[in-house]
Coordinates of all heavy atoms in Angstrom, one line a residue:
S1 N -41.2 19.2 26.7 CA -40.0 19.4 25.9 C -39.9 18.3 24.8 O -40.1 17.1 25.1 CB -38.8 19.4 26.8 OG -37.6 18.9 26.3
S2 N -39.4 18.7 23.7 CA -39.4 17.8 22.5 C -37.9 17.4 22.3 O -37.0 18.1 22.6 CB -39.9 18.5 21.3 OG -39.6 17.9 20.1
D3 N -37.7 16.2 21.6 CA -36.3 15.8 21.3 C -35.9 16.2 19.9 O -35.2 15.5 19.2 CB -36.3 14.2 21.4 CG -36.3 13.8 22.9 OD1 -36.0 14.6 23.8 OD2 -36.7 12.6 23.1
S4 N -36.4 17.2 19.4 CA -36.2 17.7 18.1 C -34.7 18.0 17.9 O -34.0 18.6 18.8 CB -37.0 18.9 17.8 OG -36.6 19.5 16.5
E5 N -34.1 17.7 16.7 CA -32.7 18.0 16.4 C -32.5 19.5 16.2 O -31.4 19.9 16.2 CB -32.3 17.2 15.2 CG -32.2 15.7 15.4 CD -31.7 15.0 14.1 OE1 -31.1 15.6 13.3 OE2 -31.9 13.8 14.1
D6 N -33.6 20.2 16.0 CA -33.4 21.6 15.7 C -33.1 22.4 17.0 O -32.6 23.6 16.9 CB -34.7 22.2 15.1 CG -34.9 21.6 13.7 OD1 -33.9 21.2 13.1 OD2 -36.1 21.6 13.3
E7 N -33.4 21.9 18.2 CA -33.1 22.6 19.4 C -31.6 22.7 19.6 O -30.8 21.8 19.4 CB -33.7 21.9 20.6 CG -35.3 21.9 20.6 CD -35.8 21.2 21.8 OE1 -35.2 21.1 22.8 OE2 -37.0 20.9 21.7
A8 N -31.1 23.8 20.2 CA -29.7 24.0 20.5 C -29.4 23.2 21.7 O -30.2 23.0 22.6 CB -29.4 25.4 20.7
A9 N -28.1 22.7 21.8 CA -27.7 22.0 23.0 C -27.5 23.0 24.1 O -27.2 24.2 23.9 CB -26.3 21.3 22.7
P10 N -27.7 22.6 25.4 CA -27.5 23.5 26.5 C -26.1 24.0 26.5 O -25.2 23.3 26.1 CB -27.8 22.6 27.7 CG -28.6 21.4 27.2 CD -28.2 21.2 25.8
A11 N -25.9 25.1 27.1 CA -24.6 25.7 27.2 C -23.6 24.8 27.9 O -23.9 24.2 28.9 CB -24.6 27.1 28.0
G12 N -22.4 24.7 27.3 CA -21.4 23.8 27.9 C -21.4 22.4 27.4 O -20.5 21.6 27.7
V13 N -22.5 22.0 26.7 CA -22.6 20.6 26.2 C -22.3 20.6 24.7 O -22.9 21.3 24.0 CB -24.0 20.0 26.5 CG1 -24.1 18.6 25.9 CG2 -24.3 20.0 28.0
P14 N -21.3 19.8 24.3 CA -21.0 19.8 22.8 C -22.1 19.3 22.0 O -22.8 18.4 22.4 CB -19.7 18.9 22.7 CG -19.7 18.1 24.0 CD -20.5 18.9 25.0
S15 N -22.3 19.8 20.8 CA -23.3 19.3 19.9 C -23.0 18.0 19.4 O -21.8 17.6 19.2 CB -23.4 20.3 18.7 OG -24.2 19.8 17.7
K16 N -24.0 17.1 19.2 CA -23.7 15.8 18.7 C -23.7 15.7 17.1 O -23.4 14.7 16.6 CB -24.8 14.8 19.2 CG -24.8 14.6 20.7 CD -25.8 13.6 21.1 CE -25.8 13.4 22.6 NZ -26.8 12.5 23.1
K17 N -24.0 16.9 16.5 CA -23.9 16.9 15.1 C -22.5 16.8 14.6 O -21.6 17.4 15.2 CB -24.6 18.2 14.6 CG -26.1 18.3 14.8 CD -26.6 19.5 14.2 CE -28.1 19.6 14.5 NZ -28.7 20.8 13.9
R18 N -22.3 16.1 13.5 CA -21.0 16.0 12.9 C -20.6 17.3 12.2 O -21.4 17.9 11.6 CB -21.0 14.8 11.9 CG -21.1 13.5 12.5 CD -21.2 12.4 11.5 NE -19.9 12.4 10.8 CZ -19.7 11.6 9.8 NH1 -20.6 10.7 9.4 NH2 -18.5 11.6 9.2
K19 N -19.3 17.6 12.4 CA -18.8 18.8 11.7 C -18.5 18.4 10.2 O -18.1 17.3 9.9 CB -17.5 19.2 12.3 CG -17.6 19.5 13.8 CD -18.1 20.9 14.0 CE -18.0 21.3 15.5 NZ -19.2 21.9 16.0
A20 N -18.6 19.3 9.3 CA -18.3 19.1 7.9 C -16.8 18.9 7.8 O -16.0 19.6 8.4 CB -18.8 20.3 7.1
E21 N -16.4 17.9 7.0 CA -15.0 17.6 6.8 C -14.5 18.6 5.8 O -15.2 18.9 4.8 CB -14.8 16.2 6.4 CG -15.2 15.2 7.5 CD -14.9 13.8 7.1 OE1 -14.2 13.5 6.1 OE2 -15.5 12.9 7.7
P22 N -13.2 19.0 6.0 CA -12.7 20.0 5.0 C -12.5 19.3 3.6 O -12.2 18.2 3.5 CB -11.3 20.3 5.6 CG -11.0 19.2 6.5 CD -12.3 18.7 7.0
V23 N -12.8 20.1 2.6 CA -12.7 19.7 1.2 C -11.3 20.0 0.7 O -10.8 21.1 0.9 CB -13.8 20.4 0.4 CG1 -13.6 20.0 -1.1 CG2 -15.1 20.1 0.9
E24 N -10.6 19.0 0.1 CA -9.3 19.3 -0.4 C -9.4 20.0 -1.7 O -10.2 19.8 -2.6 CB -8.6 17.9 -0.7 CG -8.3 17.1 0.6 CD -7.6 15.9 0.3 OE1 -7.2 15.6 -0.9 OE2 -7.3 15.1 1.3
T25 N -8.5 21.0 -1.8 CA -8.4 21.8 -3.1 C -7.5 21.1 -4.0 O -6.8 20.2 -3.7 CB -7.9 23.2 -2.8 OG1 -6.5 23.0 -2.3 CG2 -8.7 23.9 -1.7
E26 N -7.6 21.4 -5.3 CA -6.8 20.8 -6.3 C -5.3 21.0 -6.0 O -4.5 20.1 -6.2 CB -7.0 21.4 -7.7 CG -8.0 20.6 -8.6 CD -8.1 21.2 -9.9 OE1 -7.1 21.3 -10.6 OE2 -9.2 21.5 -10.3
E27 N -4.9 22.2 -5.5 CA -3.5 22.4 -5.2 C -3.0 21.5 -4.1 O -2.0 20.9 -4.2 CB -3.4 23.9 -4.7 CG -2.0 24.3 -4.3 CD -1.9 25.7 -3.8 OE1 -2.7 26.5 -4.3 OE2 -1.0 25.9 -3.0
H28 N -3.9 21.2 -3.1 CA -3.5 20.3 -2.0 C -3.3 18.8 -2.5 O -2.4 18.1 -2.2 CB -4.6 20.3 -0.9 CG -4.2 19.5 0.3 ND1 -3.2 19.9 1.1 CD2 -4.8 18.4 0.8 CE1 -3.1 19.0 2.1 NE2 -4.0 18.0 1.9
V29 N -4.2 18.4 -3.4 CA -4.1 17.1 -4.0 C -2.9 16.9 -4.8 O -2.2 15.9 -4.7 CB -5.4 16.8 -4.9 CG1 -5.2 15.5 -5.6 CG2 -6.6 16.7 -4.0
E30 N -2.5 18.0 -5.6 CA -1.3 17.9 -6.4 C 0.0 17.7 -5.5 O 0.9 17.0 -5.8 CB -1.1 19.1 -7.3 CG -2.1 19.2 -8.4 CD -2.1 20.5 -9.2 OE1 -1.1 21.2 -9.1 OE2 -3.0 20.7 -9.9
K31 N 0.0 18.4 -4.4 CA 1.1 18.3 -3.4 C 1.2 16.9 -2.9 O 2.3 16.3 -2.8 CB 1.0 19.3 -2.3 CG 1.2 20.7 -2.6 CD 1.1 21.6 -1.4 CE 1.3 23.0 -1.8 NZ 1.1 23.9 -0.7
K32 N 0.1 16.2 -2.6 CA 0.1 14.9 -2.1 C 0.7 13.9 -3.2 O 1.5 13.1 -2.9 CB -1.3 14.4 -1.8 CG -1.8 14.8 -0.4 CD -3.1 14.1 -0.1 CE -3.5 14.4 1.3 NZ -4.8 13.7 1.6
Q33 N 0.3 14.1 -4.5 CA 0.8 13.3 -5.5 C 2.3 13.5 -5.7 O 3.0 12.5 -5.9 CB 0.0 13.6 -6.8 CG -1.4 13.1 -6.8 CD -2.2 13.6 -8.0 OE1 -1.8 14.5 -8.7 NE2 -3.4 13.1 -8.2
A34 N 2.8 14.7 -5.6 CA 4.2 14.9 -5.7 C 5.0 14.2 -4.7 O 6.0 13.6 -4.9 CB 4.5 16.4 -5.8
V35 N 4.5 14.3 -3.4 CA 5.2 13.6 -2.3 C 5.2 12.1 -2.5 O 6.1 11.4 -2.3 CB 4.5 14.0 -1.0 CG1 5.0 13.1 0.1 CG2 4.7 15.5 -0.7
A36 N 4.0 11.6 -3.0 CA 3.9 10.1 -3.2 C 4.9 9.6 -4.3 O 5.5 8.6 -4.1 CB 2.5 9.8 -3.6
S37 N 5.1 10.4 -5.3 CA 6.0 10.0 -6.4 C 7.5 10.0 -5.9 O 8.3 9.3 -6.4 CB 5.8 10.8 -7.6 OG 6.2 12.1 -7.4
E38 N 7.8 10.9 -5.0 CA 9.2 11.0 -4.5 C 9.5 9.8 -3.6 O 10.6 9.3 -3.6 CB 9.4 12.3 -3.7 CG 9.4 13.6 -4.5 CD 9.4 14.8 -3.6 OE1 9.6 14.7 -2.4 OE2 9.2 15.9 -4.2
D39 N 8.5 9.3 -2.9 CA 8.8 8.2 -1.9 C 8.0 7.0 -2.5 O 7.3 6.3 -1.7 CB 8.2 8.6 -0.6 CG 8.6 7.6 0.5 OD1 9.7 6.9 0.3 OD2 7.9 7.4 1.5
E40 N 8.2 6.7 -3.7 CA 7.5 5.6 -4.4 C 8.0 4.2 -3.8 O 9.1 4.0 -3.6 CB 7.8 5.7 -5.9 CG 6.8 4.9 -6.7 CD 6.9 5.2 -8.1 OE1 7.7 6.1 -8.5 OE2 6.3 4.5 -8.9
N41 N 7.0 3.3 -3.6 CA 7.4 2.0 -3.1 C 7.9 1.2 -4.3 O 7.4 1.2 -5.4 CB 6.1 1.3 -2.6 CG 5.6 1.9 -1.3 OD1 6.4 2.5 -0.5 ND2 4.3 1.9 -1.1
T42 N 9.0 0.5 -4.0 CA 9.7 -0.3 -5.1 C 9.8 -1.7 -4.7 O 10.5 -2.5 -5.4 CB 11.0 0.3 -5.4 OG1 11.8 0.4 -4.2 CG2 10.9 1.7 -6.0
K43 N 9.3 -2.1 -3.6 CA 9.4 -3.5 -3.1 C 8.1 -4.2 -3.3 O 7.1 -3.7 -2.8 CB 9.9 -3.6 -1.7 CG 10.3 -5.0 -1.3 CD 10.9 -5.0 0.1 CE 12.4 -4.7 0.0 NZ 13.1 -4.9 1.3
V44 N 8.1 -5.4 -3.9 CA 6.8 -6.2 -4.0 C 6.9 -7.5 -3.3 O 8.0 -8.2 -3.4 CB 6.6 -6.4 -5.6 CG1 5.3 -7.2 -5.8 CG2 6.5 -5.1 -6.3
Y45 N 5.9 -7.8 -2.6 CA 5.9 -9.1 -1.8 C 4.8 -10.0 -2.6 O 3.7 -9.6 -2.6 CB 5.5 -8.8 -0.4 CG 5.5 -10.0 0.5 CD1 6.6 -10.6 1.0 CD2 4.3 -10.7 0.8 CE1 6.6 -11.7 1.8 CE2 4.3 -11.8 1.6 CZ 5.5 -12.3 2.1 OH 5.5 -13.4 2.9
V46 N 5.3 -11.1 -3.1 CA 4.4 -12.0 -3.8 C 4.2 -13.3 -3.0 O 5.1 -13.9 -2.5 CB 5.0 -12.4 -5.2 CG1 4.1 -13.3 -6.0 CG2 5.4 -11.1 -6.0
R47 N 2.9 -13.7 -2.9 CA 2.6 -14.9 -2.1 C 1.9 -15.9 -3.0 O 1.4 -15.6 -4.1 CB 1.6 -14.6 -1.0 CG 2.2 -13.7 0.1 CD 1.3 -13.4 1.2 NE 0.2 -14.3 1.4 CZ -0.8 -14.2 2.1 NH1 -1.0 -13.1 2.8 NH2 -1.8 -15.1 2.3
G48 N 1.9 -17.2 -2.6 CA 1.1 -18.2 -3.3 C 1.9 -18.8 -4.5 O 1.2 -19.4 -5.3
L49 N 3.2 -18.7 -4.5 CA 4.0 -19.3 -5.6 C 4.1 -20.8 -5.3 O 4.2 -21.2 -4.2 CB 5.4 -18.7 -5.6 CG 5.4 -17.2 -5.9 CD1 6.9 -16.7 -5.8 CD2 4.9 -16.9 -7.3
P50 N 4.2 -21.6 -6.4 CA 4.5 -23.0 -6.2 C 5.9 -23.1 -5.5 O 6.8 -22.3 -5.8 CB 4.5 -23.5 -7.6 CG 3.8 -22.5 -8.5 CD 4.0 -21.2 -7.8
W51 N 6.0 -24.1 -4.7 CA 7.3 -24.3 -4.0 C 8.4 -24.6 -5.0 O 9.6 -24.4 -4.6 CB 7.2 -25.5 -3.0 CG 6.3 -25.2 -1.9 CD1 5.8 -24.0 -1.5 CD2 5.8 -26.1 -0.9 NE1 5.0 -24.1 -0.4 CE2 5.0 -25.4 0.0 CE3 5.9 -27.5 -0.8 CZ2 4.3 -26.0 1.0 CZ3 5.2 -28.1 0.3 CH2 4.5 -27.3 1.2
S52 N 8.1 -25.0 -6.2 CA 9.2 -25.3 -7.2 C 9.6 -24.1 -8.0 O 10.5 -24.2 -8.8 CB 8.6 -26.4 -8.2 OG 7.5 -25.9 -8.8
T53 N 9.0 -22.9 -7.7 CA 9.4 -21.7 -8.4 C 10.8 -21.3 -8.2 O 11.3 -21.3 -7.1 CB 8.5 -20.5 -8.0 OG1 7.1 -20.9 -8.2 CG2 8.8 -19.3 -8.8
T54 N 11.5 -21.0 -9.3 CA 12.9 -20.6 -9.2 C 13.1 -19.0 -9.3 O 12.1 -18.4 -9.8 CB 13.8 -21.2 -10.3 OG1 13.3 -20.7 -11.5 CG2 13.7 -22.7 -10.3
E55 N 14.2 -18.5 -8.9 CA 14.5 -17.1 -9.0 C 14.4 -16.7 -10.4 O 13.9 -15.6 -10.7 CB 15.8 -16.8 -8.4 CG 16.2 -15.3 -8.3 CD 17.5 -15.1 -7.6 OE1 17.8 -15.8 -6.6 OE2 18.2 -14.1 -8.0
D56 N 14.9 -17.5 -11.3 CA 14.9 -17.1 -12.8 C 13.5 -17.0 -13.3 O 13.2 -16.1 -14.1 CB 15.7 -18.1 -13.6 CG 17.2 -18.0 -13.4 OD1 17.7 -16.9 -12.9 OD2 17.9 -19.0 -13.6
E57 N 12.6 -17.9 -12.8 CA 11.2 -17.8 -13.3 C 10.5 -16.6 -12.8 O 9.8 -15.9 -13.5 CB 10.4 -19.1 -12.8 CG 10.8 -20.4 -13.5 CD 10.2 -21.6 -12.8 OE1 10.0 -21.6 -11.6 OE2 9.9 -22.5 -13.6
V58 N 10.8 -16.2 -11.6 CA 10.2 -14.9 -11.0 C 10.8 -13.7 -11.8 O 10.0 -12.9 -12.2 CB 10.6 -14.8 -9.5 CG1 10.1 -13.4 -9.0 CG2 9.9 -15.9 -8.7
K59 N 12.1 -13.7 -12.1 CA 12.7 -12.6 -12.8 C 12.0 -12.5 -14.2 O 11.7 -11.4 -14.7 CB 14.2 -12.8 -12.9 CG 14.9 -12.5 -11.7 CD 16.4 -12.6 -11.9 CE 17.2 -12.3 -10.6 NZ 18.6 -12.5 -10.8
E60 N 11.9 -13.7 -14.9 CA 11.3 -13.7 -16.2 C 9.8 -13.2 -16.2 O 9.4 -12.4 -17.1 CB 11.3 -15.1 -16.8 CG 10.8 -15.2 -18.2 CD 10.9 -16.7 -18.7 OE1 11.7 -17.5 -18.2 OE2 10.1 -17.0 -19.6
F61 N 9.1 -13.6 -15.2 CA 7.7 -13.2 -15.1 C 7.5 -11.7 -14.9 O 6.6 -11.1 -15.5 CB 7.0 -14.0 -14.0 CG 5.5 -13.8 -14.0 CD1 4.6 -14.5 -14.8 CD2 4.9 -12.8 -13.2 CE1 3.3 -14.3 -14.8 CE2 3.5 -12.6 -13.2 CZ 2.7 -13.4 -14.0
F62 N 8.3 -11.1 -14.1 CA 8.2 -9.7 -13.7 C 9.1 -8.8 -14.5 O 9.2 -7.6 -14.2 CB 8.5 -9.5 -12.2 CG 7.4 -10.0 -11.3 CD1 7.4 -11.3 -10.8 CD2 6.2 -9.3 -11.1 CE1 6.4 -11.8 -10.0 CE2 5.2 -9.7 -10.3 CZ 5.3 -11.0 -9.8
A63 N 9.8 -9.3 -15.6 CA 10.7 -8.5 -16.4 C 10.1 -7.3 -17.0 O 10.7 -6.3 -17.1 CB 11.3 -9.4 -17.4
T64 N 8.8 -7.4 -17.4 CA 8.2 -6.2 -18.0 C 7.7 -5.1 -17.0 O 7.3 -4.1 -17.5 CB 6.9 -6.7 -18.8 OG1 6.0 -7.3 -17.9 CG2 7.3 -7.7 -19.9
C65 N 7.9 -5.4 -15.8 CA 7.5 -4.4 -14.7 C 8.6 -3.4 -14.4 O 8.4 -2.5 -13.7 CB 7.1 -5.1 -13.4 SG 5.7 -6.2 -13.7
G66 N 9.8 -3.7 -14.9 CA 10.9 -2.7 -14.7 C 12.2 -3.5 -14.2 O 12.2 -4.7 -14.1
E67 N 13.2 -2.7 -14.1 CA 14.5 -3.3 -13.7 C 14.5 -3.7 -12.2 O 14.2 -3.0 -11.4 CB 15.6 -2.3 -13.9 CG 17.0 -2.8 -13.6 CD 18.1 -1.7 -13.7 OE1 17.8 -0.7 -14.3 OE2 19.2 -2.0 -13.2
M68 N 14.9 -5.0 -12.0 CA 14.9 -5.5 -10.6 C 16.3 -5.4 -10.1 O 17.3 -5.7 -10.7 CB 14.5 -7.0 -10.6 CG 13.0 -7.2 -10.9 SD 12.6 -8.9 -11.2 CE 12.5 -8.9 -13.0
T69 N 16.4 -5.0 -8.8 CA 17.7 -4.9 -8.2 C 17.9 -6.1 -7.3 O 19.1 -6.5 -7.0 CB 17.8 -3.6 -7.3 OG1 16.7 -3.6 -6.4 CG2 17.8 -2.4 -8.2
S70 N 16.9 -6.8 -6.8 CA 17.0 -8.0 -6.1 C 15.8 -8.9 -6.1 O 14.7 -8.3 -6.2 CB 17.5 -7.8 -4.7 OG 16.4 -7.2 -3.9
V71 N 15.9 -10.2 -6.0 CA 14.8 -11.1 -5.9 C 15.2 -12.1 -4.8 O 16.2 -12.7 -4.9 CB 14.6 -11.9 -7.3 CG1 13.5 -12.9 -7.1 CG2 14.2 -10.9 -8.4
E72 N 14.3 -12.2 -3.8 CA 14.5 -13.1 -2.7 C 13.4 -14.2 -2.7 O 12.3 -13.8 -2.9 CB 14.5 -12.4 -1.4 CG 15.6 -11.4 -1.2 CD 15.5 -10.6 0.1 OE1 15.2 -11.3 1.1 OE2 15.6 -9.4 0.1
L73 N 13.8 -15.4 -2.5 CA 12.8 -16.5 -2.3 C 13.1 -17.1 -1.0 O 13.9 -18.1 -0.9 CB 13.0 -17.6 -3.4 CG 12.7 -17.1 -4.9 CD1 13.0 -18.2 -5.9 CD2 11.2 -16.7 -5.0
P74 N 12.5 -16.6 0.1 CA 12.8 -17.0 1.4 C 12.4 -18.5 1.6 O 11.5 -19.0 1.0 CB 11.9 -16.2 2.3 CG 11.3 -15.1 1.5 CD 11.5 -15.5 0.1
L75 N 13.2 -19.2 2.5 CA 12.9 -20.6 2.8 C 12.3 -20.7 4.2 O 12.5 -19.8 5.1 CB 14.2 -21.4 2.8 CG 15.0 -21.4 1.4 CD1 16.3 -22.2 1.6 CD2 14.1 -21.9 0.3
Q76 N 11.6 -21.8 4.4 CA 11.0 -22.0 5.8 C 12.1 -22.6 6.6 O 13.2 -22.9 6.1 CB 9.9 -23.0 5.7 CG 8.7 -22.5 4.9 CD 7.6 -23.6 4.8 OE1 7.7 -24.7 5.2 NE2 6.4 -23.1 4.3
D77 N 11.9 -22.8 7.9 CA 12.9 -23.2 8.8 C 13.4 -24.6 8.4 O 14.6 -24.9 8.7 CB 12.3 -23.3 10.3 CG 12.0 -21.9 10.8 OD1 12.7 -21.0 10.3 OD2 11.2 -21.8 11.7
D78 N 12.6 -25.4 7.8 CA 13.1 -26.8 7.4 C 13.8 -26.8 6.0 O 14.1 -27.9 5.5 CB 11.9 -27.8 7.4 CG 10.8 -27.4 6.5 OD1 10.9 -26.4 5.7 OD2 9.8 -28.1 6.4
G79 N 14.0 -25.6 5.4 CA 14.7 -25.6 4.2 C 13.9 -25.6 2.9 O 14.3 -25.4 1.8
R80 N 12.5 -25.8 3.1 CA 11.6 -25.8 1.9 C 11.3 -24.4 1.5 O 11.4 -23.5 2.3 CB 10.4 -26.6 2.2 CG 10.5 -28.0 2.5 CD 9.2 -28.7 2.7 NE 8.5 -28.1 3.8 CZ 7.1 -28.1 3.9 NH1 6.4 -28.7 3.0 NH2 6.6 -27.5 4.9
S81 N 10.9 -24.2 0.3 CA 10.4 -22.9 -0.2 C 9.2 -22.5 0.6 O 8.3 -23.3 0.9 CB 10.1 -23.0 -1.7 OG 9.5 -21.8 -2.1
S82 N 9.1 -21.2 0.9 CA 7.9 -20.7 1.6 C 6.8 -20.3 0.6 O 5.7 -19.9 1.0 CB 8.3 -19.4 2.4 OG 8.8 -18.4 1.5
G83 N 7.1 -20.4 -0.7 CA 6.0 -20.0 -1.7 C 5.9 -18.5 -1.8 O 4.9 -18.0 -2.3
T84 N 6.9 -17.7 -1.4 CA 6.8 -16.3 -1.5 C 8.1 -15.8 -2.2 O 9.1 -16.4 -2.3 CB 6.8 -15.6 -0.1 OG1 7.9 -16.0 0.6 CG2 5.5 -16.0 0.7
A85 N 8.0 -14.5 -2.7 CA 9.1 -13.9 -3.3 C 9.0 -12.4 -2.9 O 8.0 -11.8 -2.8 CB 9.1 -14.0 -4.8
I86 N 10.2 -11.8 -2.7 CA 10.3 -10.4 -2.4 C 11.2 -9.8 -3.5 O 12.3 -10.2 -3.7 CB 11.0 -10.1 -1.0 CG1 10.1 -10.8 0.1 CG2 11.1 -8.6 -0.7 CD1 10.8 -10.9 1.4
I87 N 10.6 -8.9 -4.3 CA 11.2 -8.3 -5.4 C 11.5 -6.8 -5.2 O 10.5 -6.1 -4.9 CB 10.4 -8.5 -6.7 CG1 10.0 -10.0 -6.8 CG2 11.1 -8.0 -7.9 CD1 8.9 -10.2 -7.8
Q88 N 12.7 -6.4 -5.3 CA 13.0 -5.0 -5.2 C 13.3 -4.4 -6.6 O 14.1 -5.0 -7.3 CB 14.3 -4.8 -4.3 CG 14.7 -3.4 -4.2 CD 13.9 -2.6 -3.2 OE1 13.5 -3.1 -2.2 NE2 13.5 -1.4 -3.6
F89 N 12.5 -3.4 -7.0 CA 12.7 -2.8 -8.3 C 13.5 -1.5 -8.2 O 13.5 -0.9 -7.1 CB 11.3 -2.4 -8.9 CG 10.6 -3.6 -9.4 CD1 9.6 -4.2 -8.6 CD2 10.8 -4.2 -10.6 CE1 8.9 -5.3 -9.0 CE2 10.1 -5.3 -11.1 CZ 9.1 -5.9 -10.2
N90 N 14.2 -1.2 -9.3 CA 15.0 0.1 -9.3 C 14.0 1.2 -9.2 O 12.9 1.2 -9.8 CB 15.8 0.1 -10.7 CG 16.8 1.2 -10.7 OD1 16.8 2.0 -9.8 ND2 17.6 1.2 -11.7
D91 N 14.3 2.2 -8.4 CA 13.4 3.3 -8.2 C 13.4 4.4 -9.3 O 12.7 5.4 -9.2 CB 13.6 4.0 -6.8 CG 15.0 4.6 -6.7 OD1 15.8 4.4 -7.6 OD2 15.2 5.2 -5.6
T92 N 14.1 4.2 -10.4 CA 14.1 5.2 -11.4 C 13.2 4.8 -12.6 O 12.9 3.7 -12.8 CB 15.5 5.5 -12.0 OG1 16.1 4.3 -12.4 CG2 16.3 6.2 -10.9

């Protein structure tokens, strides 16, 4: 007996060959895009900022990205800046 891939698997034993994955149609892709735009992410998490960065500096830097509804500069437990910013943009 040969180990050729052309031989059929014995009855009751699943084939080891991979099944072809379904191909998405254009219509299906368009639906995905429509759903994505309805539930668009509007919060940005920025890391690696200098500890001296102010809220005004963050707002000025990201002003061209759209209207911001909030900017947070979280502090560490000891009161120092964490070097991060969380920016919420208007979703319109």
Side-chain angles (χ1 to χ4, degrees):
S1 145
S2 165
D3 288 336
S4 172
E5 291 183 18
D6 294 334
E7 291 181 22
V13 177
S15 171
K16 292 182 181 179
K17 292 184 180 180
R18 292 178 60 184
K19 303 277 187 224
E21 295 184 17
V23 178
E24 294 183 1
T25 63
E26 260 186 58
E27 180 180 329
H28 186 68
V29 172
E30 288 175 16
K31 286 181 183 177
K32 278 187 174 181
Q33 290 172 347
V35 170
S37 65
E38 288 174 11
D39 188 28
E40 197 169 354
N41 293 329
T42 57
K43 190 174 275 192
V44 178
Y45 184 78
V46 182
R47 294 178 26 188
L49 297 173
W51 291 347
S52 61
T53 302
T54 66
E55 185 175 324
D56 288 337
E57 290 172 326
V58 172
K59 285 180 178 180
E60 183 180 334
F61 187 84
F62 287 97
T64 59
C65 297
E67 181 185 345
M68 289 169 260
T69 56
S70 70
V71 175
E72 298 176 44
L73 298 174
L75 301 177
Q76 295 179 355
D77 292 338
D78 61 2
R80 293 184 305 152
S81 171
S82 63
T84 60
I86 302 167
I87 307 166
Q88 178 76 42
F89 288 94
N90 193 353
D91 60 354
T92 55

